Amino acid sequence: SAPEHTKKELTLAGSPKYFSPQLLSAFRKGNQKKLMNPFKSDVFSFGLIILELGTLEIPEKSKKQEDWESNIRRCVRRFKRKYLEFLEEGPQQEEFLEFVNMIRDCLEIDEEDRPDFIDLFYNKA
């Protein structure tokens, strides 16, 4: 469980298209405020934006967590296939596969399993 000091009560704002599962759930229920880790929610949105830039699509959201996860995995695989063949074998492909894994980590449905930006950029160095 995340330390309590990382959780904030948020007023829902922004585009539901890029909401994390936690924000989307609160939005659908009509909650005006939600206690959650805003940094991890932003990481999910970041992952969606990167995936959309690379594939020109966003994984279809679903009320069923398994379906949404499946849609995310499908889009990540499509992203990987689209670019991997254009890279030289060796370091280029290895770096790209690390990037794909980072996107996959960003798009973890479970907030507890999702990194925040510090995890993404500093702990991976």
Side-chain angles (χ1 to χ4, degrees), residues 65-105:
Q65 181 174 323
E66 313 83 53
D67 293 342
W68 196 359
E69 285 176 318
S70 178
N71 294 339
I72 288 170
R73 284 192 303 272
R74 192 177 312 105
C75 280
V76 170
R77 281 193 307 270
R78 197 171 297 128
F79 176 79
K80 181 178 165 182
R81 280 193 311 267
K82 183 174 184 176
Y83 296 102
L84 191 60
E85 67 182 279
F86 296 109
L87 302 173
E88 291 181 25
E89 284 188 36
Q92 277 189 351
Q93 284 188 350
E94 289 170 21
E95 286 180 24
F96 177 71
L97 292 174
E98 284 181 31
F99 182 64
V100 170
N101 286 336
M102 182 196 75
I103 294 169
R104 191 177 294 122
D105 290 346

Side-chain angles (χ1 to χ4, degrees), residues 32-83:
Q32 291 301 306
K33 295 195 179 211
K34 171 84 174 157
L35 186 66
M36 61 178 298
N37 184 324
F39 309 108
K40 290 189 175 201
S41 185
D42 288 347
V43 164
F44 190 88
S45 300
F46 170 74
L48 286 177
I49 290 167
I50 296 297
L51 198 56
E52 183 179 24
L53 287 170
T55 62
L56 301 179
E57 67 177 306
I58 290 183
E60 185 179 341
K61 291 174 172 42
S62 174
K63 290 185 180 182
K64 289 180 66 181
Q65 181 174 323
E66 313 83 53
D67 293 342
W68 196 359
E69 285 176 318
S70 178
N71 294 339
I72 288 170
R73 284 192 303 272
R74 192 177 312 105
C75 280
V76 170
R77 281 193 307 270
R78 197 171 297 128
F79 176 79
K80 181 178 165 182
R81 280 193 311 267
K82 183 174 184 176
Y83 296 102

